[in-house]
Amino acid sequence: MPPASATAGVSDVSGAFAHDLAPSPMLWRPHRPARPQKSEGGRRFELTSDYAPAGDQPDAIAELVAGIEAREHDQVLLGVTGSGKTFTMAKIIEATQRPALILAHNKTLAAQLYSEFKSYFPNNAVEYFVSYYDYYQPEAYVARTDTYIEKDSSRNEQIDRMRHSATRAILERDDVIVVASVSCIYGIGSVETYTAMTFTLTVGEAVDEKRLMADLVAQQYKRNDQAFERGTFRRRGDTIEIFPAHYEDRAWRVMMFGDVIEAIAEFDPLTGRKTADLQAVKIYANSHYVTPRPTLRQATAAIKAELKPRLDWLTAQGKLLEAQRLEQRTTFDLEMIEATGSCAGIENYSRYLTGRRPGEPPPTFFEYIPDNALLFVDESHQTIPQLGAMYKGDYSRKFTLAEYGFRLPSCLDNRPLKFEEWEAMRPDSLFVSATPAKWELEKAGGVFVEQVIRPTGLIDPPVEVRPVSKGGFSQVDDVIDECRQVAAKGYRTLVTVLTKKMAEDLTEYMHEQGLRVRYMHSDVDTLERIEIIRDLRLGAFDVLVGINLLREGLDIPECGLVAILDADKEGFLRSETSLVQTIGRAARNVDGKVILYADSITGSMERAMAETSRRRDKQA
C-alpha cells in the first residue's frame, strides 16, 4: 500500500486510519498510566458469610489460589450450576487480597453478581460498571437509501452514578471489586485527564470562592440553586453545597469564613440533616470525558489540522455535499468545545483529547484497574465471544460516516478494544463456566479445575423428553398442565421458546388459561428484568417465558420445572452449551426436573443429556 498522504480520502487509503488493513501491524504497547496516591488505601478484604466452603469448593479454591500465587496467567473453573462459583470467587479474592474485575455478559447477570458480592463484602468497595444507556440508537448513515440516523439515547442516571463510583473507588482504594459488562472495553476519559481534573478541599485552606465555583464548572458540574441533584452545586451565603457525581444520598457543605474554609460537613440532600464532619474532600469530575483547558486548545488545533486537508480532498473529488456537511458539523463542534469544554458526540474526537496516536485504542476501564488486579470472566463461553464481536460492527458503521462527510476519519479511533488489545491488557484471569469453550481451555493448556459436587448435596435434575406434536400430542397443552402441577406445589416454572413473538403469544395464551405468567426478552428494560426475576421468586407469578435470558447465572432456587419447547430445532438456542445451561436452571431445587419437547433426538440434545448424566453419576 502506498504511504497515506495528508489529503487522502477514506476509500483510497483506508489504511491511513483503518489500521486493521495496514500492511504491517502497528507497534503498540498497552498503556499503563501513572495513578495518583490512594487516599483510602491499605484496607483489607473481609468476607462475611455464615457458610464455610463445602463439596468441591475447598479443593477448587486451594488449587486456583495456588495457581495465582504461581503466576499462572490463565485458569479455568468448570463449575456446575448451584456449585457455589460466586462464593469460590469471593474466597479467592479474600485469600489473595487483590482487587478484582468480574466480567458478565449481560446486565441481568451483572446485577445479580453485584448483589451477591455486596453481601459477601459489606465493608469493602463493591462497584457496578455497565452501560448507562437504557436506550441507545448509534449515529449511522445508510448510503443505499440516503438515510442519516441521528444518535439518540436515554441515559440512566443511577447507573451513571455507579460508573463514577467505580472509577473513583478503583483509583482511591485497594479493596475494590468491580462487576462489569462488556461496556468496560469501550472508551471513557483517560486516567491522566480524569485525575488531573480532581482537586481537594481541606479545612483551614485558603480558597477563592469564585475560583472554586469556576473549577466546579470546569469539572462539568452545573450550578442550580433550586433543584439540588447529583452533579450540581449551589451557593447559599458563605456556604457552597456540592452534590458529588458518585454519591446517591450524600452531599458536601463547604462553609467559608472570608477566603478560608471554616468547616466541611456531609449532609443528607433530602432533609438537609448533617451526617458527619469532614477534614477534607476530594472532588472528582462530573464526566469521564472532562478535559483540562490546555488539552482542549491542543485538541481543537489538531482537529482543524485534520479538517482542512480532508475538505480539500473532498472538494477536489467533486464531493461538495460531503465537504459542506463535514465543515458545518465539525465547525459547530469546535465552537461548542471552545465555549463550553464539551459538545454532543465529543467522544468522536477522543484521539485528540487523549493525545493517542492514530490507530491506538482509546482509554478504557482496563487502564484504570491496577496491575495486580484479578480478572474473573463469568460464563466465559458467552462473554469471550461478545468481547471479540464488538469492534467490527462499530468499525463498519463509523467507516460509512467518515466516507460520507458526517465525521472526520479520526472518529474511527473512538471504538471498543479489539480482541487482541483486550488480551494484551487483561491481568491474571480466571474463566468461570459450566461449559467452558475451546478458547479458554486452550489458554489454560487444556487444564481446568472442576467444581461439580454442590455444597447443598443437590444433584443435577432428571431430564425427560416428550414429543412436540407427534401422534396428536401438543407441547403447549402439556406444558400448561405441568405448570399448574408445579405451581400447586409452590414452585416456579421457566419456559424457553425460540422467538420474541412466540414468547408473547404463549404468555397471552397461558394467561387466558388462568396461569399467572410473564415474559422476559431483550426488549424488556434492564431494571425491569431485575424486577421480573424478583417478583418470580417472591411468588407474584408462577411462570416465566423467555428465549435466551433464562440461562447463564440465573439463580432461582424456587424453580421446580424447566420446559424447553422445540428442543429439536438445532441451532444457537438449542446447541449443546445452551441446553446444558438451561437445564442447569432447575439444579437448585431438590424437586427440580427438566422436560425437553422434541420429536427427534438431535446431536446437541444427546450430548447435553450425556453430560448431565455424567455429572449426576459423580454427584451421587
Side-chain angles (χ1 to χ4, degrees):
M1 182 181 288
S5 65
T7 57
V10 176
S11 315
D12 298 279
V13 283
S14 53
F17 58 88
H19 303 281
D20 280 10
L21 310 178
S24 58
M26 281 191 64
L27 294 173
W28 175 76
R29 182 177 297 170
H31 188 57
R32 296 293 185 196
R35 294 176 182 82
Q37 187 173 356
K38 298 186 177 183
S39 62
E40 301 175 44
R43 300 185 187 181
R44 292 181 59 81
F45 284 107
E46 299 172 8
L47 192 150
T48 303
S49 175
D50 295 333
Y51 302 101
D56 275 346
Q57 286 177 331
D59 292 341
I61 293 164
E63 199 170 329
L64 292 168
V65 169
I68 292 166
E69 290 173 349
R71 311 280 307 245
E72 287 185 29
H73 190 55
D74 303 295
Q75 296 186 84
V76 172
L77 171 63
L78 190 158
V80 300
T81 301
S83 64
K85 297 190 289 290
T86 308
F87 186 61
T88 298
M89 289 191 270
K91 292 297 285 185
I92 291 168
I93 293 168
E94 183 190 40
T96 57
Q97 290 294 315
R98 289 166 65 170
L101 173 63
I102 294 151
L103 270 184
H105 69 279
N106 65 44
K107 292 180 181 178
T108 308
L109 179 55
Q112 183 175 291
L113 287 167
Y114 172 70
S115 173
E116 288 178 355
F117 278 101
K118 268 280 198 191
S119 66
Y120 286 142
F121 296 100
N123 303 318
N124 303 111
V126 179
E127 306 293 343
Y128 188 61
F129 192 92
V130 301
S131 170
Y132 52 34
Y133 293 114
D134 280 336
Y135 166 76
Y136 183 69
Q137 169 61 62
E139 181 182 33
Y141 178 65
V142 183
R144 188 165 53 84
T145 57
D146 190 28
T147 305
Y148 172 69
I149 303 166
E150 194 172 1
K151 177 180 173 179
D152 185 21
S153 62
S154 169
R155 266 174 51 171
N156 186 304
E157 288 299 315
Q158 174 74 345
I159 294 178
D160 185 40
R161 180 197 68 76
M162 296 171 95
R163 285 167 65 97
H164 279 284
S165 179
T167 48
R168 177 192 171 277
I170 207 81
L171 292 172
E172 295 292 343
R173 299 177 66 162
D174 296 315
D175 58 325
V176 181
I177 298 168
V178 180
V179 180
S181 67
V182 290
S183 170
C184 65
I185 68 167
Y186 280 79
I188 57 173
S190 70
V191 176
E192 297 94 329
T193 55
Y194 185 64
T195 54
M197 291 296 281
T198 63
F199 61 89
T200 303
L201 299 176
T202 309
V203 173
E205 180 185 355
V207 174
D208 181 83
E209 199 171 293
K210 289 186 177 177
R211 180 73 257 167
L212 171 57
M213 290 194 287
D215 286 344
L216 288 168
V217 170
Q219 286 190 322
Q220 303 290 319
Y221 283 86
K222 294 181 175 66
R223 179 170 179 175
N224 192 329
D225 291 341
Q226 304 304 319
F228 190 49
E229 56 191 22
R230 192 181 66 85
T232 64
F233 70 95
R234 63 187 178 192
R235 179 184 176 187
R236 292 183 165 182
D238 289 337
T239 300
I240 294 175
E241 295 179 343
I242 305 162
F243 205 141
H246 60 280
Y247 278 157
E248 181 180 19
D249 53 6
R250 285 178 286 170
W252 294 327
R253 184 177 290 138
V254 181
M255 289 160 273
M256 311 285 292
F257 183 77
D259 283 345
V260 177
I261 297 176
E262 187 176 37
I264 301 173
E266 186 179 86
F267 70 98
D268 184 327
L270 184 65
T271 63
R273 186 173 61 85
K274 185 172 80 170
T275 53
D277 287 310
L278 305 172
Q279 281 302 305
V281 291
K282 192 169 186 178
I283 302 173
Y284 276 81
N286 189 38
S287 167
H288 286 114
Y289 294 100
V290 70
T291 310
R293 183 58 62 177
T295 307
L296 283 175
R297 283 196 288 267
Q298 291 174 7
T300 52
I303 293 166
K304 288 173 184 174
E306 184 188 6
L307 176 64
K308 187 179 184 309
R310 178 72 178 140
L311 292 176
D312 291 344
W313 184 87
L314 287 170
T315 305
Q317 296 296 312
K319 298 185 177 184
L320 302 180
L321 175 63
E322 286 86 349
Q324 182 195 19
R325 182 188 287 149
L326 182 64
E327 183 176 26
Q328 183 180 3
R329 291 168 65 90
T330 310
T331 304
F332 177 75
D333 286 348
L334 287 168
E335 289 171 356
M336 288 297 292
I337 289 170
E338 288 167 357
T340 67
S342 186
C343 72
I346 193 170
E347 64 275 6
N348 288 294
Y349 304 108
S350 63
R351 179 203 290 179
Y352 302 116
L353 294 169
T354 58
R356 302 291 166 101
R357 291 186 301 158
E360 283 192 339
T364 63
F365 189 71
F366 273 86
E367 290 186 7
Y368 284 72
I369 63 175
D371 296 335
N372 71 328
L374 290 175
L375 173 65
F376 293 88
V377 184
D378 197 34
E379 307 297 352
S380 58
H381 65 282
Q382 283 274 58
T383 310
I384 298 295
Q386 265 195 20
L387 291 165
M390 293 293 138
Y391 170 73
K392 289 183 180 175
D394 184 83
Y395 172 81
S396 62
R397 178 175 60 81
K398 294 219 174 90
F399 184 96
T400 306
L401 288 169
E403 176 74 18
Y404 289 93
F406 290 93
R407 290 287 173 194
L408 288 169
S410 58
C411 76
L412 285 159
D413 282 341
N414 168 46
R415 58 176 176 80
L417 292 177
K418 299 174 190 172
F419 189 76
E420 299 76 21
E421 292 165 347
W422 170 78
E423 196 175 351
M425 294 188 75
R426 66 183 172 87
D428 291 344
S429 308
L430 273 80
F431 304 102
V432 182
S433 173
T435 51
K438 184 180 177 183
W439 183 86
E440 48 263 42
L441 287 171
E442 284 178 355
K443 281 289 170 185
V447 178
F448 59 86
V449 177
E450 197 168 48
Q451 190 170 295
V452 173
I453 299 172
R454 296 180 175 86
T456 56
L458 291 176
I459 62 175
D460 275 27
V463 180
E464 184 182 345
V465 180
R466 295 184 186 176
V468 175
S469 56
K470 193 183 287 184
F473 194 87
S474 169
Q475 62 175 354
V476 173
D477 291 341
D478 186 71
V479 81
I480 288 173
D481 182 53
E482 287 289 341
C483 290
R484 286 201 179 101
Q485 293 178 35
V486 169
K489 295 176 185 175
Y491 295 142
R492 318 283 179 266
T493 302
L494 299 180
V495 181
T496 66
V497 295
L498 291 171
T499 65
K500 293 178 185 176
K501 188 172 188 322
M502 189 175 176
E504 293 169 7
D505 290 348
L506 182 61
T507 301
E508 186 178 348
Y509 181 67
M510 284 181 153
H511 181 69
E512 289 170 0
Q513 298 301 311
L515 286 169
R516 298 188 303 165
V517 58
R518 290 187 68 177
Y519 67 81
M520 185 171 78
H521 54 59
S522 59
D523 289 349
V524 177
D525 288 343
T526 307
L527 297 178
E528 191 180 344
R529 292 179 204 173
I530 299 165
E531 289 174 11
I532 289 172
I533 300 296
R534 188 195 64 209
D535 288 347
L536 178 67
R537 295 198 60 185
L538 291 173
F541 59 98
D542 300 315
V543 183
L544 180 58
V545 181
I547 304 165
N548 201 35
L549 294 174
L550 307 182
R551 284 184 43 172
E552 288 81 2
L554 201 64
D555 295 345
I556 306 174
E558 297 82 2
C559 176
L561 171 65
V562 170
I564 303 174
L565 304 191
D566 299 304
D568 54 352
K569 298 290 189 291
E570 188 76 83
F572 170 72
L573 293 173
R574 297 294 180 261
S575 65
E576 178 191 349
T577 299
S578 297
L579 290 172
V580 170
Q581 290 288 348
T582 310
I583 287 167
R585 296 319 100 206
R588 296 174 186 274
N589 191 311
V590 67
D591 296 323
K593 69 174 182 176
V594 178
I595 301 175
L596 302 181
Y597 290 95
D599 287 334
S600 60
I601 306 292
T602 64
S604 294
M605 288 174 61
E606 197 171 337
R607 290 189 296 274
M609 289 189 289
E611 175 62 13
T612 304
S613 297
R614 182 190 76 81
R615 292 176 181 180
R616 280 174 63 88
D617 292 343
K618 185 170 181 180
Q619 290 156 355

